[in-house]
Amino acid sequence: MNRIIKAFLFKLKKDLTFRITLIVGLSVAVLMTLINFLIDFSSRDETGIKFAMCNGQNLLLSSLSPIQNFGLAIPINLIAFTVAEFTQGVIRNKIIAGNSKRKVYIGLFLSGLIFTFVIMIAYVLLCFALGSIIGGFDPNGSANTGNIIGDLIGTKITPEFLIRKLIVTVFIYFSITSFTIMIATLFRNVGPSITITLIVLLILNIAGMIILSNGYNAETNSLEGFSKIFAYINPLSTISFSSITSKTVGENTIRVYELSNSLFISNILNNLGFGALWLFAGMEIFNRSDIK
């Protein structure tokens, strides 16, 4: 296993797909910063800037989504990278060298995780750094979470909300990587693999927005009926949904985004569960298939 990972890391340094993806990701980070800066600049009036989009907290949250901006490029490029392992004979050579199929698949999965997180960490950090340099960073400031529910100008975030979002995002990318590797291994063709992966991700996200928004009770700040069950089983529910609650600060009452304990814990657990399920399913598919 160590030899497989070392060989992958050596290949990654020279791989054209990885380099292009990294360059595109960093370019998108600069572009998104520029777009947000222009939104802020165009909203200026005699009292100053009306919107505050180009700041550290806003760009950090927007860069985390696997459905928006550069997020969708991750599974697309991961599929291209994985399929190339088959078409270039790399997988076949590893098996000929005496590695078991299960070991090779686990190595492929771990390689996919490294690929995903190296790209995403570089992209997220650059977005966060540029936003913080231009507009500053306020863990208690205003931000747009990208959710359909309650994204109102002036709604605040909290350090706890930010930390929970970061933690959940790690587990979401774990399950997305596991699913993507399984699909790429099953079809070993870029076209259908990308199509199926993107359709599944978009359906989960759109369904989450529709179902959770319809089942959200603003008076009690809670989900009701089927929407509550769906939130707990949908691995992308925290991407599709953030509720808003009121918080008293001194003599003022402000609106803040909230990621409840139940939704936070359930989203971690279901992403771990789905990630493990897709990992073992992909391993079995790979173990039973012929390698040419």
PDB file of all heavy atoms in Angstrom, residues 218-248:
ATOM      1  N   ALA A 218     -40.722  28.945   9.891  1.00  0.00           N
ATOM      2  CA  ALA A 218     -39.931  30.094  10.344  1.00  0.00           C
ATOM      3  C   ALA A 218     -40.271  30.495  11.773  1.00  0.00           C
ATOM      4  O   ALA A 218     -39.416  31.007  12.498  1.00  0.00           O
ATOM      5  CB  ALA A 218     -40.155  31.279   9.397  1.00  0.00           C
ATOM      6  N   GLU A 219     -41.514  30.255  12.210  1.00  0.00           N
ATOM      7  CA  GLU A 219     -41.918  30.657  13.552  1.00  0.00           C
ATOM      8  C   GLU A 219     -41.215  29.834  14.623  1.00  0.00           C
ATOM      9  O   GLU A 219     -40.811  30.355  15.664  1.00  0.00           O
ATOM     10  CB  GLU A 219     -43.436  30.525  13.695  1.00  0.00           C
ATOM     11  CG  GLU A 219     -44.217  31.497  12.814  1.00  0.00           C
ATOM     12  CD  GLU A 219     -45.704  31.369  13.019  1.00  0.00           C
ATOM     13  OE1 GLU A 219     -46.122  30.512  13.848  1.00  0.00           O
ATOM     14  OE2 GLU A 219     -46.463  32.106  12.360  1.00  0.00           O
ATOM     15  N   THR A 220     -41.087  28.540  14.355  1.00  0.00           N
ATOM     16  CA  THR A 220     -40.427  27.665  15.333  1.00  0.00           C
ATOM     17  C   THR A 220     -38.966  27.396  14.977  1.00  0.00           C
ATOM     18  O   THR A 220     -38.262  26.729  15.731  1.00  0.00           O
ATOM     19  CB  THR A 220     -41.174  26.321  15.423  1.00  0.00           C
ATOM     20  OG1 THR A 220     -41.148  25.685  14.123  1.00  0.00           O
ATOM     21  CG2 THR A 220     -42.608  26.531  15.867  1.00  0.00           C
ATOM     22  N   ASN A 221     -38.522  27.921  13.804  1.00  0.00           N
ATOM     23  CA  ASN A 221     -37.156  27.717  13.322  1.00  0.00           C
ATOM     24  C   ASN A 221     -36.810  26.229  13.280  1.00  0.00           C
ATOM     25  O   ASN A 221     -35.785  25.776  13.799  1.00  0.00           O
ATOM     26  CB  ASN A 221     -36.148  28.466  14.204  1.00  0.00           C
ATOM     27  CG  ASN A 221     -34.732  28.401  13.635  1.00  0.00           C
ATOM     28  OD1 ASN A 221     -34.543  28.364  12.425  1.00  0.00           O
ATOM     29  ND2 ASN A 221     -33.741  28.351  14.510  1.00  0.00           N
ATOM     30  N   SER A 222     -37.686  25.439  12.653  1.00  0.00           N
ATOM     31  CA  SER A 222     -37.480  23.991  12.616  1.00  0.00           C
ATOM     32  C   SER A 222     -38.063  23.410  11.336  1.00  0.00           C
ATOM     33  O   SER A 222     -38.889  24.025  10.661  1.00  0.00           O
ATOM     34  CB  SER A 222     -38.143  23.325  13.828  1.00  0.00           C
ATOM     35  OG  SER A 222     -39.538  23.545  13.812  1.00  0.00           O
ATOM     36  N   LEU A 223     -37.608  22.198  11.004  1.00  0.00           N
ATOM     37  CA  LEU A 223     -38.144  21.449   9.872  1.00  0.00           C
ATOM     38  C   LEU A 223     -39.257  20.548  10.367  1.00  0.00           C
ATOM     39  O   LEU A 223     -39.188  20.004  11.480  1.00  0.00           O
ATOM     40  CB  LEU A 223     -37.042  20.619   9.218  1.00  0.00           C
ATOM     41  CG  LEU A 223     -35.928  21.407   8.541  1.00  0.00           C
ATOM     42  CD1 LEU A 223     -34.752  20.487   8.216  1.00  0.00           C
ATOM     43  CD2 LEU A 223     -36.426  22.079   7.271  1.00  0.00           C
ATOM     44  N   GLU A 224     -40.258  20.356   9.521  1.00  0.00           N
ATOM     45  CA  GLU A 224     -41.399  19.557   9.931  1.00  0.00           C
ATOM     46  C   GLU A 224     -41.699  18.470   8.907  1.00  0.00           C
ATOM     47  O   GLU A 224     -41.407  18.618   7.716  1.00  0.00           O
ATOM     48  CB  GLU A 224     -42.633  20.460  10.111  1.00  0.00           C
ATOM     49  CG  GLU A 224     -42.451  21.515  11.197  1.00  0.00           C
ATOM     50  CD  GLU A 224     -43.666  22.423  11.343  1.00  0.00           C
ATOM     51  OE1 GLU A 224     -44.541  22.366  10.436  1.00  0.00           O
ATOM     52  OE2 GLU A 224     -43.744  23.169  12.331  1.00  0.00           O
ATOM     53  N   GLY A 225     -42.290  17.379   9.381  1.00  0.00           N
ATOM     54  CA  GLY A 225     -42.737  16.304   8.507  1.00  0.00           C
ATOM     55  C   GLY A 225     -41.611  15.626   7.743  1.00  0.00           C
ATOM     56  O   GLY A 225     -40.524  15.375   8.279  1.00  0.00           O
ATOM     57  N   PHE A 226     -41.889  15.353   6.463  1.00  0.00           N
ATOM     58  CA  PHE A 226     -40.931  14.619   5.635  1.00  0.00           C
ATOM     59  C   PHE A 226     -39.629  15.388   5.448  1.00  0.00           C
ATOM     60  O   PHE A 226     -38.559  14.785   5.299  1.00  0.00           O
ATOM     61  CB  PHE A 226     -41.554  14.320   4.266  1.00  0.00           C
ATOM     62  CG  PHE A 226     -40.596  13.668   3.306  1.00  0.00           C
ATOM     63  CD1 PHE A 226     -40.200  12.349   3.480  1.00  0.00           C
ATOM     64  CD2 PHE A 226     -40.071  14.389   2.243  1.00  0.00           C
ATOM     65  CE1 PHE A 226     -39.306  11.754   2.610  1.00  0.00           C
ATOM     66  CE2 PHE A 226     -39.177  13.801   1.350  1.00  0.00           C
ATOM     67  CZ  PHE A 226     -38.795  12.480   1.540  1.00  0.00           C
ATOM     68  N   SER A 227     -39.700  16.730   5.444  1.00  0.00           N
ATOM     69  CA  SER A 227     -38.488  17.533   5.239  1.00  0.00           C
ATOM     70  C   SER A 227     -37.454  17.276   6.330  1.00  0.00           C
ATOM     71  O   SER A 227     -36.248  17.307   6.079  1.00  0.00           O
ATOM     72  CB  SER A 227     -38.837  19.025   5.193  1.00  0.00           C
ATOM     73  OG  SER A 227     -39.350  19.462   6.430  1.00  0.00           O
ATOM     74  N   LYS A 228     -37.918  17.008   7.538  1.00  0.00           N
ATOM     75  CA  LYS A 228     -36.999  16.723   8.634  1.00  0.00           C
ATOM     76  C   LYS A 228     -36.289  15.392   8.409  1.00  0.00           C
ATOM     77  O   LYS A 228     -35.078  15.275   8.612  1.00  0.00           O
ATOM     78  CB  LYS A 228     -37.766  16.693   9.957  1.00  0.00           C
ATOM     79  CG  LYS A 228     -36.878  16.563  11.184  1.00  0.00           C
ATOM     80  CD  LYS A 228     -37.696  16.701  12.456  1.00  0.00           C
ATOM     81  CE  LYS A 228     -36.795  16.677  13.684  1.00  0.00           C
ATOM     82  NZ  LYS A 228     -37.589  16.844  14.941  1.00  0.00           N
ATOM     83  N   ILE A 229     -37.043  14.397   7.962  1.00  0.00           N
ATOM     84  CA  ILE A 229     -36.448  13.086   7.665  1.00  0.00           C
ATOM     85  C   ILE A 229     -35.482  13.207   6.500  1.00  0.00           C
ATOM     86  O   ILE A 229     -34.367  12.664   6.542  1.00  0.00           O
ATOM     87  CB  ILE A 229     -37.566  12.059   7.340  1.00  0.00           C
ATOM     88  CG1 ILE A 229     -38.487  11.879   8.536  1.00  0.00           C
ATOM     89  CG2 ILE A 229     -36.952  10.720   6.919  1.00  0.00           C
ATOM     90  CD1 ILE A 229     -39.692  11.015   8.250  1.00  0.00           C
ATOM     91  N   PHE A 230     -35.886  13.947   5.461  1.00  0.00           N
ATOM     92  CA  PHE A 230     -35.044  14.102   4.280  1.00  0.00           C
ATOM     93  C   PHE A 230     -33.745  14.817   4.621  1.00  0.00           C
ATOM     94  O   PHE A 230     -32.683  14.498   4.074  1.00  0.00           O
ATOM     95  CB  PHE A 230     -35.807  14.884   3.200  1.00  0.00           C
ATOM     96  CG  PHE A 230     -35.081  14.944   1.884  1.00  0.00           C
ATOM     97  CD1 PHE A 230     -35.057  13.846   1.035  1.00  0.00           C
ATOM     98  CD2 PHE A 230     -34.400  16.096   1.498  1.00  0.00           C
ATOM     99  CE1 PHE A 230     -34.382  13.895  -0.174  1.00  0.00           C
ATOM    100  CE2 PHE A 230     -33.721  16.151   0.290  1.00  0.00           C
ATOM    101  CZ  PHE A 230     -33.711  15.049  -0.551  1.00  0.00           C
ATOM    102  N   ALA A 231     -33.810  15.793   5.524  1.00  0.00           N
ATOM    103  CA  ALA A 231     -32.603  16.528   5.928  1.00  0.00           C
ATOM    104  C   ALA A 231     -31.592  15.598   6.584  1.00  0.00           C
ATOM    105  O   ALA A 231     -30.379  15.763   6.421  1.00  0.00           O
ATOM    106  CB  ALA A 231     -32.974  17.658   6.881  1.00  0.00           C
ATOM    107  N   TYR A 232     -32.087  14.612   7.311  1.00  0.00           N
ATOM    108  CA  TYR A 232     -31.196  13.699   8.024  1.00  0.00           C
ATOM    109  C   TYR A 232     -30.579  12.632   7.116  1.00  0.00           C
ATOM    110  O   TYR A 232     -29.524  12.094   7.427  1.00  0.00           O
ATOM    111  CB  TYR A 232     -31.953  13.024   9.177  1.00  0.00           C
ATOM    112  CG  TYR A 232     -32.328  13.969  10.289  1.00  0.00           C
ATOM    113  CD1 TYR A 232     -33.423  13.716  11.111  1.00  0.00           C
ATOM    114  CD2 TYR A 232     -31.590  15.123  10.530  1.00  0.00           C
ATOM    115  CE1 TYR A 232     -33.782  14.584  12.138  1.00  0.00           C
ATOM    116  CE2 TYR A 232     -31.937  15.999  11.554  1.00  0.00           C
ATOM    117  CZ  TYR A 232     -33.028  15.729  12.343  1.00  0.00           C
ATOM    118  OH  TYR A 232     -33.363  16.594  13.357  1.00  0.00           O
ATOM    119  N   ILE A 233     -31.245  12.315   5.995  1.00  0.00           N
ATOM    120  CA  ILE A 233     -30.718  11.260   5.126  1.00  0.00           C
ATOM    121  C   ILE A 233     -30.023  11.804   3.889  1.00  0.00           C
ATOM    122  O   ILE A 233     -29.314  11.073   3.201  1.00  0.00           O
ATOM    123  CB  ILE A 233     -31.836  10.290   4.690  1.00  0.00           C
ATOM    124  CG1 ILE A 233     -32.900  11.019   3.863  1.00  0.00           C
ATOM    125  CG2 ILE A 233     -32.462   9.606   5.900  1.00  0.00           C
ATOM    126  CD1 ILE A 233     -33.964  10.098   3.288  1.00  0.00           C
ATOM    127  N   ASN A 234     -30.218  13.096   3.589  1.00  0.00           N
ATOM    128  CA  ASN A 234     -29.590  13.689   2.408  1.00  0.00           C
ATOM    129  C   ASN A 234     -28.166  14.133   2.764  1.00  0.00           C
ATOM    130  O   ASN A 234     -27.978  15.009   3.613  1.00  0.00           O
ATOM    131  CB  ASN A 234     -30.416  14.883   1.932  1.00  0.00           C
ATOM    132  CG  ASN A 234     -29.805  15.572   0.716  1.00  0.00           C
ATOM    133  OD1 ASN A 234     -28.848  15.082   0.116  1.00  0.00           O
ATOM    134  ND2 ASN A 234     -30.356  16.714   0.348  1.00  0.00           N
ATOM    135  N   PRO A 235     -27.139  13.573   2.108  1.00  0.00           N
ATOM    136  CA  PRO A 235     -25.754  13.934   2.455  1.00  0.00           C
ATOM    137  C   PRO A 235     -25.393  15.387   2.130  1.00  0.00           C
ATOM    138  O   PRO A 235     -24.381  15.886   2.616  1.00  0.00           O
ATOM    139  CB  PRO A 235     -24.913  12.959   1.619  1.00  0.00           C
ATOM    140  CG  PRO A 235     -25.808  12.516   0.515  1.00  0.00           C
ATOM    141  CD  PRO A 235     -27.185  12.520   1.082  1.00  0.00           C
ATOM    142  N   LEU A 236     -26.214  16.061   1.330  1.00  0.00           N
ATOM    143  CA  LEU A 236     -25.930  17.460   0.970  1.00  0.00           C
ATOM    144  C   LEU A 236     -26.882  18.435   1.665  1.00  0.00           C
ATOM    145  O   LEU A 236     -26.980  19.598   1.257  1.00  0.00           O
ATOM    146  CB  LEU A 236     -26.016  17.659  -0.546  1.00  0.00           C
ATOM    147  CG  LEU A 236     -25.051  16.856  -1.410  1.00  0.00           C
ATOM    148  CD1 LEU A 236     -25.195  17.259  -2.880  1.00  0.00           C
ATOM    149  CD2 LEU A 236     -23.603  17.050  -0.953  1.00  0.00           C
ATOM    150  N   SER A 237     -27.561  17.995   2.713  1.00  0.00           N
ATOM    151  CA  SER A 237     -28.586  18.845   3.334  1.00  0.00           C
ATOM    152  C   SER A 237     -28.003  20.125   3.921  1.00  0.00           C
ATOM    153  O   SER A 237     -28.637  21.188   3.871  1.00  0.00           O
ATOM    154  CB  SER A 237     -29.337  18.071   4.419  1.00  0.00           C
ATOM    155  OG  SER A 237     -28.443  17.585   5.404  1.00  0.00           O
ATOM    156  N   THR A 238     -26.788  20.076   4.475  1.00  0.00           N
ATOM    157  CA  THR A 238     -26.211  21.292   5.056  1.00  0.00           C
ATOM    158  C   THR A 238     -25.703  22.247   3.982  1.00  0.00           C
ATOM    159  O   THR A 238     -25.412  23.404   4.277  1.00  0.00           O
ATOM    160  CB  THR A 238     -25.054  20.958   6.015  1.00  0.00           C
ATOM    161  OG1 THR A 238     -24.097  20.134   5.350  1.00  0.00           O
ATOM    162  CG2 THR A 238     -25.560  20.233   7.243  1.00  0.00           C
ATOM    163  N   ILE A 239     -25.566  21.759   2.747  1.00  0.00           N
ATOM    164  CA  ILE A 239     -25.246  22.642   1.634  1.00  0.00           C
ATOM    165  C   ILE A 239     -26.517  23.336   1.149  1.00  0.00           C
ATOM    166  O   ILE A 239     -26.512  24.501   0.740  1.00  0.00           O
ATOM    167  CB  ILE A 239     -24.613  21.846   0.469  1.00  0.00           C
ATOM    168  CG1 ILE A 239     -23.298  21.193   0.928  1.00  0.00           C
ATOM    169  CG2 ILE A 239     -24.374  22.727  -0.740  1.00  0.00           C
ATOM    170  CD1 ILE A 239     -22.222  22.185   1.316  1.00  0.00           C
ATOM    171  N   SER A 240     -27.645  22.613   1.205  1.00  0.00           N
ATOM    172  CA  SER A 240     -28.910  23.133   0.695  1.00  0.00           C
ATOM    173  C   SER A 240     -29.645  24.001   1.702  1.00  0.00           C
ATOM    174  O   SER A 240     -30.529  24.773   1.322  1.00  0.00           O
ATOM    175  CB  SER A 240     -29.831  21.965   0.302  1.00  0.00           C
ATOM    176  OG  SER A 240     -29.182  21.064  -0.553  1.00  0.00           O
ATOM    177  N   PHE A 241     -29.292  23.888   2.981  1.00  0.00           N
ATOM    178  CA  PHE A 241     -30.150  24.482   4.011  1.00  0.00           C
ATOM    179  C   PHE A 241     -29.352  25.039   5.185  1.00  0.00           C
ATOM    180  O   PHE A 241     -28.444  24.384   5.706  1.00  0.00           O
ATOM    181  CB  PHE A 241     -31.117  23.412   4.517  1.00  0.00           C
ATOM    182  CG  PHE A 241     -31.949  23.835   5.696  1.00  0.00           C
ATOM    183  CD1 PHE A 241     -33.068  24.610   5.503  1.00  0.00           C
ATOM    184  CD2 PHE A 241     -31.620  23.441   6.970  1.00  0.00           C
ATOM    185  CE1 PHE A 241     -33.850  24.996   6.577  1.00  0.00           C
ATOM    186  CE2 PHE A 241     -32.389  23.821   8.054  1.00  0.00           C
ATOM    187  CZ  PHE A 241     -33.515  24.598   7.861  1.00  0.00           C
ATOM    188  N   SER A 242     -29.679  26.260   5.568  1.00  0.00           N
ATOM    189  CA  SER A 242     -29.210  26.853   6.826  1.00  0.00           C
ATOM    190  C   SER A 242     -30.367  27.659   7.390  1.00  0.00           C
ATOM    191  O   SER A 242     -30.905  28.530   6.710  1.00  0.00           O
ATOM    192  CB  SER A 242     -28.005  27.772   6.606  1.00  0.00           C
ATOM    193  OG  SER A 242     -26.852  27.046   6.289  1.00  0.00           O
ATOM    194  N   SER A 243     -30.759  27.362   8.601  1.00  0.00           N
ATOM    195  CA  SER A 243     -31.857  28.113   9.198  1.00  0.00           C
ATOM    196  C   SER A 243     -31.333  29.411   9.804  1.00  0.00           C
ATOM    197  O   SER A 243     -30.125  29.625   9.928  1.00  0.00           O
ATOM    198  CB  SER A 243     -32.555  27.269  10.264  1.00  0.00           C
ATOM    199  OG  SER A 243     -31.635  26.925  11.292  1.00  0.00           O
ATOM    200  N   ILE A 244     -32.248  30.286  10.173  1.00  0.00           N
ATOM    201  CA  ILE A 244     -31.896  31.578  10.761  1.00  0.00           C
ATOM    202  C   ILE A 244     -32.611  31.709  12.096  1.00  0.00           C
ATOM    203  O   ILE A 244     -33.793  31.366  12.218  1.00  0.00           O
ATOM    204  CB  ILE A 244     -32.297  32.737   9.828  1.00  0.00           C
ATOM    205  CG1 ILE A 244     -31.386  32.751   8.603  1.00  0.00           C
ATOM    206  CG2 ILE A 244     -32.207  34.078  10.546  1.00  0.00           C
ATOM    207  CD1 ILE A 244     -31.700  33.855   7.624  1.00  0.00           C
ATOM    208  N   THR A 245     -31.892  32.157  13.080  1.00  0.00           N
ATOM    209  CA  THR A 245     -32.478  32.381  14.393  1.00  0.00           C
ATOM    210  C   THR A 245     -32.117  33.772  14.880  1.00  0.00           C
ATOM    211  O   THR A 245     -31.244  34.428  14.321  1.00  0.00           O
ATOM    212  CB  THR A 245     -31.978  31.314  15.387  1.00  0.00           C
ATOM    213  OG1 THR A 245     -32.673  31.452  16.624  1.00  0.00           O
ATOM    214  CG2 THR A 245     -30.479  31.475  15.648  1.00  0.00           C
ATOM    215  N   SER A 246     -32.803  34.210  15.901  1.00  0.00           N
ATOM    216  CA  SER A 246     -32.539  35.529  16.476  1.00  0.00           C
ATOM    217  C   SER A 246     -31.611  35.398  17.678  1.00  0.00           C
ATOM    218  O   SER A 246     -31.693  34.431  18.441  1.00  0.00           O
ATOM    219  CB  SER A 246     -33.845  36.204  16.905  1.00  0.00           C
ATOM    220  OG  SER A 246     -34.671  36.434  15.784  1.00  0.00           O
ATOM    221  N   LYS A 247     -30.721  36.374  17.825  1.00  0.00           N
ATOM    222  CA  LYS A 247     -29.756  36.363  18.905  1.00  0.00           C
ATOM    223  C   LYS A 247     -29.675  37.762  19.502  1.00  0.00           C
ATOM    224  O   LYS A 247     -29.616  38.756  18.772  1.00  0.00           O
ATOM    225  CB  LYS A 247     -28.384  35.922  18.376  1.00  0.00           C
ATOM    226  CG  LYS A 247     -27.278  35.918  19.405  1.00  0.00           C
ATOM    227  CD  LYS A 247     -25.969  35.485  18.763  1.00  0.00           C
ATOM    228  CE  LYS A 247     -24.818  35.512  19.747  1.00  0.00           C
ATOM    229  NZ  LYS A 247     -23.530  35.138  19.103  1.00  0.00           N
ATOM    230  N   THR A 248     -29.684  37.835  20.829  1.00  0.00           N
ATOM    231  CA  THR A 248     -29.622  39.128  21.504  1.00  0.00           C
ATOM    232  C   THR A 248     -28.183  39.476  21.829  1.00  0.00           C
ATOM    233  O   THR A 248     -27.471  38.706  22.476  1.00  0.00           O
ATOM    234  CB  THR A 248     -30.460  39.110  22.796  1.00  0.00           C
ATOM    235  OG1 THR A 248     -31.817  38.787  22.477  1.00  0.00           O
ATOM    236  CG2 THR A 248     -30.414  40.467  23.491  1.00  0.00           C
TER     237      THR A 248
END
